[in-house]
Amino acid sequence: MDSHFDKYREELSKDNLTSFKDLEDLIKPLIRSATKINVSKPSELKENTQLISHFGGQPYFEKEEEWPKTKDGQELDFIFQVFNNGEVNLPDNIQLVQFFYDWEESPWDTENDGWLVRIYKTLNIDQVIKLNKSTESELTKFCEVTFKAVQSLPDWEGIEIYSKNASKLSCVLNEDEPWDSYQKAAEKLAGEQVYRSQIGGYPNWVQGEGTPDHDNKPMKLLFQIDSEEHAGLMWGDVGLIYVFYDEASEKIEFTLQCH
């Protein structure tokens, strides 16, 4: 009986897809620009941090806004905010994105209470106010951030969504370790694809592919945040959070994966 690898070879041969170079040609068009977030060591809270990108500390608020809460009235912890200064891979219609989280609830996906992505499409700097939590507890440490432009490709868990032929060709190039061929090609084209805090690009899954769909298309990653030691963040057992965003519908999806 023919194996599924034989079936793949037959299908791929019709398109003359047989080599490692063919694999590179299949995945090269998938490359997306992304922004790596480098989190600095914690430091003393500075004045007017509402107007800079950072973890912990003082978030941006405008007049008449209130501190985000859970459905039962518990205040969320402020995790981070990133301004769209033209150097980060945020959608053009987003000027500022913030993330809040409830460590007691520790939500794992969209349907859970205890998380909030707040998006500002416009900023009214003259309306900025300083707003503090009513309680003292603030687990996220104040850390400044820097950004680095990187290139991103789907990980092995996700490549089949974007190119079934790339997945099949990886399998026939190395039947014992099919992921190895793909990872080598991805690293050659876009650099090492590792767990990192990142704006845009593709997710790096810890426990397997989990990209949500919208209108029968995979949603784009808005950001993923690693367990950041400097900021005091630990998502489950050294995990990551992932947030997806659809510009047209403004739909937001959230999930957490850990080891």
Side-chain angles (χ1 to χ4, degrees):
M1 182 180 292
D2 291 342
S3 70
H4 61 282
F5 294 115
D6 293 325
K7 182 181 177 183
Y8 290 168
R9 285 190 186 87
E10 182 180 349
E11 293 170 347
L12 294 167
S13 66
K14 295 176 182 177
D15 294 321
N16 198 28
L17 298 172
T18 60
S19 69
F20 187 81
K21 176 63 166 57
D22 294 328
L23 178 59
E24 291 181 355
D25 291 341
L26 285 171
I27 65 178
K28 189 173 183 178
L30 301 176
I31 295 174
R32 289 179 182 169
S33 296
T35 306
K36 179 184 177 184
I37 305 175
N38 297 306
V39 182
S40 302
K41 291 182 179 180
S43 58
E44 290 188 12
L45 185 60
K46 299 179 179 180
E47 290 295 323
N48 298 320
T49 60
Q50 302 101 308
L51 301 178
I52 64 172
S53 300
H54 62 92
F55 280 66
Q58 186 69 42
Y60 178 97
F61 284 105
E62 296 181 359
K63 288 182 180 178
E64 310 302 327
E65 291 184 328
E66 297 181 353
W67 195 280
K69 299 177 181 178
T70 63
K71 292 178 181 177
D72 62 4
Q74 297 298 313
E75 291 174 321
L76 300 177
D77 282 301
F78 171 63
I79 305 300
F80 80 99
Q81 67 181 23
V82 170
F83 284 88
N84 193 351
N85 60 0
E87 298 178 1
V88 296
N89 280 85
L90 284 170
D92 291 338
N93 67 335
I94 294 179
Q95 295 300 308
L96 169 65
V97 61
Q98 298 174 327
F99 186 69
F100 295 81
Y101 191 78
D102 180 11
W103 293 105
E104 289 190 11
E105 289 287 340
S106 295
W108 283 70
D109 59 38
T110 302
E111 303 307 317
N112 298 144
D113 186 26
W115 65 276
L116 174 69
V117 175
R118 175 173 276 182
I119 288 174
Y120 290 82
K121 292 185 176 181
T122 58
L123 297 174
N124 299 299
I125 303 299
D126 59 332
Q127 300 291 312
V128 173
I129 59 171
K130 185 175 181 180
L131 191 61
N132 295 314
K133 288 180 64 179
S134 61
T135 58
E136 293 285 327
S137 62
E138 187 66 56
L139 299 180
T140 310
K141 301 173 184 177
F142 173 69
C143 299
E144 297 188 60
V145 298
T146 58
F147 302 111
K148 180 181 178 181
V150 293
Q151 292 185 311
S152 177
L153 278 167
D155 61 12
W156 173 245
E157 298 286 351
I159 184 56
E160 188 173 7
I161 292 178
Y162 303 96
S163 175
K164 294 188 184 303
N165 279 344
S167 177
K168 292 175 182 178
L169 185 53
S170 298
C171 290
V172 301
L173 288 173
N174 188 337
E175 294 184 15
D176 294 329
E177 297 179 337
W179 58 86
D180 186 62
S181 296
Y182 175 72
Q183 289 174 348
K184 285 179 178 176
E187 185 171 342
K188 180 179 178 182
L189 292 170
E192 189 176 6
Q193 304 295 294
V194 295
Y195 299 127
R196 59 195 176 196
S197 294
Q198 173 181 299
I199 303 289
Y202 296 93
N204 298 104
W205 295 108
V206 177
Q207 290 284 357
E209 168 57 38
T211 302
D213 286 339
H214 181 65
D215 289 339
N216 297 315
K217 294 186 297 184
M219 292 181 68
K220 287 188 175 182
L221 181 72
L222 183 61
F223 60 79
Q224 68 180 25
I225 301 299
D226 201 355
S227 290
E228 292 286 353
E229 181 178 0
H230 289 333
L233 301 179
M234 177 65 72
W235 309 110
D237 184 10
V238 197
L240 286 85
I241 60 165
Y242 309 84
V243 169
F244 298 83
Y245 177 70
D246 179 73
E247 289 187 58
S249 65
E250 299 183 4
K251 182 180 181 181
I252 295 173
E253 295 281 349
F254 160 80
T255 191
L256 184 157
Q257 288 190 357
C258 66
H259 295 280

